[in-house]
Amino acid sequence: MKIYEKAPAKINLLLDVLHKREDGFHEVEMIMTMVDLADRLEMEELQRDQIIISSQAGYIPLDEKNLAFQAAKLIKDRYDVRKGVYIHLDKKIPVAAGLAGGSSDAAATLRGLNRLWGLGISNQELCVLGAELGSDVPFCVTGGTALATGRGERLEYIENPPQCWVVLAKPPINVSTADVYGRFKAAELTEHPSMKDMLSAISRGSFNDMCASLGNVLEKVTLKHYPEVLQLKESMQRLGAEGVLMSGSGPTVFGLVSKEAKLARIYNGLRGFCKEVYVVRMLT
Ligand code: ATP
């Protein structure tokens, strides 16, 4: 039997870091939502007790370092499943881009194997398992739009943001999330984005106020070390995107656009100097 799962990319409309915790993680406050740019996972049961990962993307690990492998191993061990699985990852989400592609693959693996093996695990339990794999995995298990706190694993679901177009552009550099957090100094922050304003904009369905409330404190680190990300932000703003922000720890930049008529100019303008540009919708 074969099953398929979609693993959509995540963006943060707001990302704030409050402080570094004793356990080494950062205490964060984020608004996360999904966009319609997704990896597609194909999962097929194997009678022999083995996990095999393949992908058309040449640049991700296919062994136990792959997050889909780790998710399959976790669910097998925890639920004592003696069968194996072959997982093919059709990668569409750029890797190490700040779009949680690996986390979403892990979440899709948990959902998929729960179905494939008829384990009957609740969504809540899948989220608990997901938290063992990474801070963003619980959110990727459920999708929707959430206020995430703690290290990102504590979720409070909120309304979806007003529907709009999302232009994503990734410069040809890879940014390590661990590296960005490593360089980040919460104490040096003088300004924090307003979570109150963002929550109010979303609950009122105000696109303009949502754009005005976008904020990501990690920009302070990434923009300083990678000037091409700043250049991308400025270009997107100049080309007419109404709200522009770096996603996660970067380097992907997203632009929110309310009018379809604006998209061609923004897309073509960015493609002039950036190869990876995607135009998608919010997944609401
Ligand atoms: P995050 O913001 O959650 O750190 P990201 O979008 O910046 O995620 P990913 O695309 O998840 O980054 O990849 C981060 C690293 O994880 C890469 O260096 C990659 O080698 C590794 N990795 C492991 N499994 C996967 C996977 N299934 N897909 C993509 N990358 C993976």
Side-chain angles (χ1 to χ4, degrees):
M1 189 165 109
K2 253 188 204 177
I3 59 155
Y4 299 90
E5 278 284 335
K6 257 174 91 169
K10 169 223 79 175
I11 57 170
N12 301 88
L13 299 175
L14 189 143
L15 194 165
D16 197 8
V17 180
L18 306 182
H19 57 86
K20 193 166 178 184
R21 311 189 322 190
E22 304 247 301
D23 62 7
F25 286 103
H26 287 83
E27 188 74 19
V28 295
E29 261 187 12
M30 310 188 280
I31 299 287
M32 322 222 258
T33 195
M34 295 278 190
V35 295
D36 195 10
L37 170 69
D39 294 342
R40 189 164 170 272
L41 280 74
E42 183 185 312
M43 294 172 226
E44 187 173 5
E45 187 176 274
L46 298 175
Q47 288 315 314
R48 61 183 189 282
D49 193 352
Q50 198 181 3
I51 301 166
I52 303 173
I53 308 276
S54 72
S55 175
Q56 95 297 3
Y59 35 81
I60 55 165
L62 299 175
D63 54 10
E64 65 284 348
K65 290 199 199 74
N66 194 297
L67 279 154
F69 184 103
Q70 291 171 20
K73 173 136 187 10
L74 181 66
I75 211 166
K76 258 171 66 56
D77 289 351
R78 215 47 74 76
Y79 290 86
D80 201 21
V81 178
R82 305 283 168 88
K83 291 170 194 156
V85 64
Y86 165 71
I87 303 174
H88 180 74
L89 300 173
D90 184 6
K91 290 291 297 178
K92 294 283 188 289
I93 305 173
V95 175
L99 297 170
S103 302
S104 199
D105 290 349
T109 303
L110 294 176
R111 288 194 306 268
L113 293 182
N114 188 27
R115 279 202 290 138
L116 185 71
W117 289 327
L119 299 172
I121 311 169
S122 68
N123 259 348
Q124 206 183 351
E125 181 57 25
L126 286 181
C127 287
V128 173
L129 282 177
E132 294 184 34
L133 298 165
S135 307
D136 282 348
V137 181
F139 172 70
C140 293
V141 166
T142 59
T145 303
L147 164 62
T149 53
R151 58 182 176 94
E153 85 292 6
R154 271 207 317 264
L155 302 172
E156 190 186 314
Y157 293 92
I158 61 169
E159 280 145 88
N160 282 320
Q163 186 51 278
C164 61
W165 298 92
V166 184
V167 181
L168 300 157
K170 181 190 172 277
I173 48 170
N174 288 342
V175 171
S176 144
T177 304
D179 193 39
V180 171
Y181 272 102
R183 294 176 198 240
F184 182 82
K185 305 249 179 318
E188 285 174 12
L189 269 191
T190 48
E191 261 180 67
H192 290 268
S194 168
M195 180 60 84
K196 189 166 148 265
D197 289 354
M198 176 56 82
L199 289 171
S200 156
I202 293 175
S203 75
R204 286 179 288 112
S206 166
F207 175 77
N208 289 339
D209 290 351
M210 171 173 74
C211 291
S213 312
L214 294 171
N216 178 352
V217 297
L218 297 181
E219 282 188 341
K220 203 159 187 261
V221 177
T222 310
L223 266 49
K224 188 167 150 209
H225 289 92
Y226 302 95
E228 48 273 73
V229 182
L230 178 60
Q231 189 202 347
L232 203 50
K233 270 197 82 177
E234 289 169 351
S235 302
M236 249 200 228
Q237 269 151 353
R238 208 174 37 247
L239 289 162
E242 288 135 289
V244 178
L245 194 71
M246 183 181 84
S247 181
S249 52
T252 301
V253 169
F254 68 84
L256 305 182
V257 180
S258 62
K259 294 185 187 65
E260 194 174 355
K262 282 186 168 186
L263 291 173
R265 176 166 185 262
I266 300 174
Y267 179 82
N268 292 330
L270 293 171
R271 282 286 282 134
F273 68 99
C274 179
K275 241 175 68 193
E276 280 191 87
V277 184
Y278 309 86
V279 177
V280 296
R281 300 283 281 170
M282 293 253 195
L283 209 61
T284 54

